[in-house]
mmCIF file with all atom_site columns, all heavy atoms in Angstrom:
data_model
loop_
_atom_site.group_PDB
_atom_site.id
_atom_site.type_symbol
_atom_site.label_atom_id
_atom_site.label_alt_id
_atom_site.label_comp_id
_atom_site.label_asym_id
_atom_site.label_entity_id
_atom_site.label_seq_id
_atom_site.pdbx_PDB_ins_code
_atom_site.Cartn_x
_atom_site.Cartn_y
_atom_site.Cartn_z
_atom_site.occupancy
_atom_site.B_iso_or_equiv
_atom_site.pdbx_formal_charge
_atom_site.auth_seq_id
_atom_site.auth_comp_id
_atom_site.auth_asym_id
_atom_site.auth_atom_id
_atom_site.pdbx_PDB_model_num
ATOM 1  N N   . LEU A 1 56 ? -47.083 23.992 -53.472 1.00 98.00 ? 1406 LEU A N   1
ATOM 2  C CA  . LEU A 1 56 ? -48.473 23.853 -53.927 1.00 98.00 ? 1406 LEU A CA  1
ATOM 3  C C   . LEU A 1 56 ? -49.373 24.900 -53.280 1.00 98.00 ? 1406 LEU A C   1
ATOM 4  O O   . LEU A 1 56 ? -50.222 25.494 -53.949 1.00 98.00 ? 1406 LEU A O   1
ATOM 5  C CB  . LEU A 1 56 ? -48.991 22.447 -53.616 1.00 98.00 ? 1406 LEU A CB  1
ATOM 6  C CG  . LEU A 1 56 ? -48.470 21.323 -54.513 1.00 98.00 ? 1406 LEU A CG  1
ATOM 7  C CD1 . LEU A 1 56 ? -48.904 19.971 -53.976 1.00 98.00 ? 1406 LEU A CD1 1
ATOM 8  C CD2 . LEU A 1 56 ? -48.960 21.529 -55.939 1.00 98.00 ? 1406 LEU A CD2 1
ATOM 9  N N   . ILE A 1 57 ? -49.176 25.115 -51.994 1.00 97.00 ? 1407 ILE A N   1
ATOM 10 C CA  . ILE A 1 57 ? -49.982 26.124 -51.294 1.00 97.00 ? 1407 ILE A CA  1
ATOM 11 C C   . ILE A 1 57 ? -49.692 27.505 -51.859 1.00 97.00 ? 1407 ILE A C   1
ATOM 12 O O   . ILE A 1 57 ? -50.615 28.301 -52.104 1.00 97.00 ? 1407 ILE A O   1
ATOM 13 C CB  . ILE A 1 57 ? -49.730 26.069 -49.776 1.00 97.00 ? 1407 ILE A CB  1
ATOM 14 C CG1 . ILE A 1 57 ? -50.317 24.773 -49.194 1.00 97.00 ? 1407 ILE A CG1 1
ATOM 15 C CG2 . ILE A 1 57 ? -50.296 27.290 -49.069 1.00 97.00 ? 1407 ILE A CG2 1
ATOM 16 C CD1 . ILE A 1 57 ? -49.942 24.507 -47.747 1.00 97.00 ? 1407 ILE A CD1 1
ATOM 17 N N   . THR A 1 58 ? -48.417 27.807 -52.085 1.00 97.00 ? 1408 THR A N   1
ATOM 18 C CA  . THR A 1 58 ? -48.047 29.112 -52.637 1.00 97.00 ? 1408 THR A CA  1
ATOM 19 C C   . THR A 1 58 ? -48.652 29.305 -54.021 1.00 97.00 ? 1408 THR A C   1
ATOM 20 O O   . THR A 1 58 ? -49.189 30.368 -54.332 1.00 97.00 ? 1408 THR A O   1
ATOM 21 C CB  . THR A 1 58 ? -46.510 29.250 -52.699 1.00 97.00 ? 1408 THR A CB  1
ATOM 22 O OG1 . THR A 1 58 ? -45.986 29.071 -51.384 1.00 97.00 ? 1408 THR A OG1 1
ATOM 23 C CG2 . THR A 1 58 ? -46.097 30.601 -53.228 1.00 97.00 ? 1408 THR A CG2 1
ATOM 24 N N   . GLN A 1 59 ? -48.573 28.278 -54.883 1.00 97.00 ? 1409 GLN A N   1
ATOM 25 C CA  . GLN A 1 59 ? -49.151 28.388 -56.220 1.00 97.00 ? 1409 GLN A CA  1
ATOM 26 C C   . GLN A 1 59 ? -50.665 28.566 -56.140 1.00 97.00 ? 1409 GLN A C   1
ATOM 27 O O   . GLN A 1 59 ? -51.243 29.341 -56.896 1.00 97.00 ? 1409 GLN A O   1
ATOM 28 C CB  . GLN A 1 59 ? -48.806 27.157 -57.061 1.00 97.00 ? 1409 GLN A CB  1
ATOM 29 C CG  . GLN A 1 59 ? -49.288 27.247 -58.487 1.00 97.00 ? 1409 GLN A CG  1
ATOM 30 C CD  . GLN A 1 59 ? -48.692 28.439 -59.238 1.00 97.00 ? 1409 GLN A CD  1
ATOM 31 O OE1 . GLN A 1 59 ? -47.515 28.718 -59.143 1.00 97.00 ? 1409 GLN A OE1 1
ATOM 32 N NE2 . GLN A 1 59 ? -49.541 29.146 -59.968 1.00 97.00 ? 1409 GLN A NE2 1
ATOM 33 N N   . GLY A 1 60 ? -51.300 27.871 -55.188 1.00 97.00 ? 1410 GLY A N   1
ATOM 34 C CA  . GLY A 1 60 ? -52.740 28.049 -55.006 1.00 97.00 ? 1410 GLY A CA  1
ATOM 35 C C   . GLY A 1 60 ? -53.085 29.468 -54.579 1.00 97.00 ? 1410 GLY A C   1
ATOM 36 O O   . GLY A 1 60 ? -54.060 30.049 -55.061 1.00 97.00 ? 1410 GLY A O   1
ATOM 37 N N   . LEU A 1 61 ? -52.294 30.032 -53.675 1.00 97.00 ? 1411 LEU A N   1
ATOM 38 C CA  . LEU A 1 61 ? -52.541 31.407 -53.232 1.00 97.00 ? 1411 LEU A CA  1
ATOM 39 C C   . LEU A 1 61 ? -52.310 32.409 -54.364 1.00 97.00 ? 1411 LEU A C   1
ATOM 40 O O   . LEU A 1 61 ? -53.025 33.413 -54.472 1.00 97.00 ? 1411 LEU A O   1
ATOM 41 C CB  . LEU A 1 61 ? -51.656 31.742 -52.030 1.00 97.00 ? 1411 LEU A CB  1
ATOM 42 C CG  . LEU A 1 61 ? -51.969 30.978 -50.738 1.00 97.00 ? 1411 LEU A CG  1
ATOM 43 C CD1 . LEU A 1 61 ? -50.907 31.265 -49.679 1.00 97.00 ? 1411 LEU A CD1 1
ATOM 44 C CD2 . LEU A 1 61 ? -53.352 31.342 -50.223 1.00 97.00 ? 1411 LEU A CD2 1
ATOM 45 N N   . ILE A 1 62 ? -51.347 32.138 -55.213 1.00 96.00 ? 1412 ILE A N   1
ATOM 46 C CA  . ILE A 1 62 ? -51.103 33.026 -56.357 1.00 96.00 ? 1412 ILE A CA  1
ATOM 47 C C   . ILE A 1 62 ? -52.251 32.900 -57.355 1.00 96.00 ? 1412 ILE A C   1
ATOM 48 O O   . ILE A 1 62 ? -52.729 33.908 -57.893 1.00 96.00 ? 1412 ILE A O   1
ATOM 49 C CB  . ILE A 1 62 ? -49.738 32.697 -57.013 1.00 96.00 ? 1412 ILE A CB  1
ATOM 50 C CG1 . ILE A 1 62 ? -48.606 33.121 -56.082 1.00 96.00 ? 1412 ILE A CG1 1
ATOM 51 C CG2 . ILE A 1 62 ? -49.604 33.396 -58.363 1.00 96.00 ? 1412 ILE A CG2 1
ATOM 52 C CD1 . ILE A 1 62 ? -47.225 32.669 -56.509 1.00 96.00 ? 1412 ILE A CD1 1
ATOM 53 N N   . SER A 1 63 ? -52.717 31.666 -57.594 1.00 96.00 ? 1413 SER A N   1
ATOM 54 C CA  . SER A 1 63 ? -53.822 31.455 -58.540 1.00 96.00 ? 1413 SER A CA  1
ATOM 55 C C   . SER A 1 63 ? -55.113 32.115 -58.080 1.00 96.00 ? 1413 SER A C   1
ATOM 56 O O   . SER A 1 63 ? -55.879 32.633 -58.895 1.00 96.00 ? 1413 SER A O   1
ATOM 57 C CB  . SER A 1 63 ? -54.073 29.955 -58.726 1.00 96.00 ? 1413 SER A CB  1
ATOM 58 O OG  . SER A 1 63 ? -52.950 29.347 -59.302 1.00 96.00 ? 1413 SER A OG  1
ATOM 59 N N   . LYS A 1 64 ? -55.351 32.119 -56.757 1.00 96.00 ? 1414 LYS A N   1
ATOM 60 C CA  . LYS A 1 64 ? -56.560 32.748 -56.223 1.00 96.00 ? 1414 LYS A CA  1
ATOM 61 C C   . LYS A 1 64 ? -56.422 34.260 -56.132 1.00 96.00 ? 1414 LYS A C   1
ATOM 62 O O   . LYS A 1 64 ? -57.389 34.943 -55.830 1.00 96.00 ? 1414 LYS A O   1
ATOM 63 C CB  . LYS A 1 64 ? -56.881 32.190 -54.840 1.00 96.00 ? 1414 LYS A CB  1
ATOM 64 C CG  . LYS A 1 64 ? -57.407 30.781 -54.877 1.00 96.00 ? 1414 LYS A CG  1
ATOM 65 C CD  . LYS A 1 64 ? -57.816 30.338 -53.491 1.00 96.00 ? 1414 LYS A CD  1
ATOM 66 C CE  . LYS A 1 64 ? -58.425 28.957 -53.548 1.00 96.00 ? 1414 LYS A CE  1
ATOM 67 N NZ  . LYS A 1 64 ? -58.908 28.518 -52.246 1.00 96.00 ? 1414 LYS A NZ  1
ATOM 68 N N   . GLY A 1 65 ? -55.231 34.784 -56.335 1.00 95.00 ? 1415 GLY A N   1
ATOM 69 C CA  . GLY A 1 65 ? -55.025 36.221 -56.280 1.00 95.00 ? 1415 GLY A CA  1
ATOM 70 C C   . GLY A 1 65 ? -54.689 36.741 -54.897 1.00 95.00 ? 1415 GLY A C   1
ATOM 71 O O   . GLY A 1 65 ? -54.593 37.953 -54.697 1.00 95.00 ? 1415 GLY A O   1
ATOM 72 N N   . ILE A 1 66 ? -54.509 35.857 -53.920 1.00 96.00 ? 1416 ILE A N   1
ATOM 73 C CA  . ILE A 1 66 ? -54.162 36.290 -52.572 1.00 96.00 ? 1416 ILE A CA  1
ATOM 74 C C   . ILE A 1 66 ? -52.712 36.779 -52.558 1.00 96.00 ? 1416 ILE A C   1
ATOM 75 O O   . ILE A 1 66 ? -52.393 37.777 -51.920 1.00 96.00 ? 1416 ILE A O   1
ATOM 76 C CB  . ILE A 1 66 ? -54.399 35.150 -51.566 1.00 96.00 ? 1416 ILE A CB  1
ATOM 77 C CG1 . ILE A 1 66 ? -55.899 34.823 -51.535 1.00 96.00 ? 1416 ILE A CG1 1
ATOM 78 C CG2 . ILE A 1 66 ? -53.877 35.509 -50.190 1.00 96.00 ? 1416 ILE A CG2 1
ATOM 79 C CD1 . ILE A 1 66 ? -56.248 33.591 -50.738 1.00 96.00 ? 1416 ILE A CD1 1
ATOM 80 N N   . LEU A 1 67 ? -51.843 36.068 -53.265 1.00 95.00 ? 1417 LEU A N   1
ATOM 81 C CA  . LEU A 1 67 ? -50.469 36.524 -53.462 1.00 95.00 ? 1417 LEU A CA  1
ATOM 82 C C   . LEU A 1 67 ? -50.348 37.001 -54.902 1.00 95.00 ? 1417 LEU A C   1
ATOM 83 O O   . LEU A 1 67 ? -50.947 36.432 -55.814 1.00 95.00 ? 1417 LEU A O   1
ATOM 84 C CB  . LEU A 1 67 ? -49.465 35.388 -53.220 1.00 95.00 ? 1417 LEU A CB  1
ATOM 85 C CG  . LEU A 1 67 ? -49.287 34.898 -51.794 1.00 95.00 ? 1417 LEU A CG  1
ATOM 86 C CD1 . LEU A 1 67 ? -48.311 33.729 -51.769 1.00 95.00 ? 1417 LEU A CD1 1
ATOM 87 C CD2 . LEU A 1 67 ? -48.786 36.004 -50.894 1.00 95.00 ? 1417 LEU A CD2 1
ATOM 88 N N   . SER A 1 68 ? -49.558 38.030 -55.093 1.00 95.00 ? 1418 SER A N   1
ATOM 89 C CA  . SER A 1 68 ? -49.387 38.534 -56.455 1.00 95.00 ? 1418 SER A CA  1
ATOM 90 C C   . SER A 1 68 ? -48.141 37.914 -57.077 1.00 95.00 ? 1418 SER A C   1
ATOM 91 O O   . SER A 1 68 ? -47.179 37.589 -56.389 1.00 95.00 ? 1418 SER A O   1
ATOM 92 C CB  . SER A 1 68 ? -49.264 40.060 -56.435 1.00 95.00 ? 1418 SER A CB  1
ATOM 93 O OG  . SER A 1 68 ? -48.107 40.431 -55.712 1.00 95.00 ? 1418 SER A OG  1
#
Side-chain angles (χ1 to χ4, degrees):
L1406 285 172
I1407 291 171
T1408 302
Q1409 184 60 44
L1411 293 173
I1412 290 171
S1413 296
K1414 288 185 176 183
I1416 296 172
L1417 290 177
S1418 63

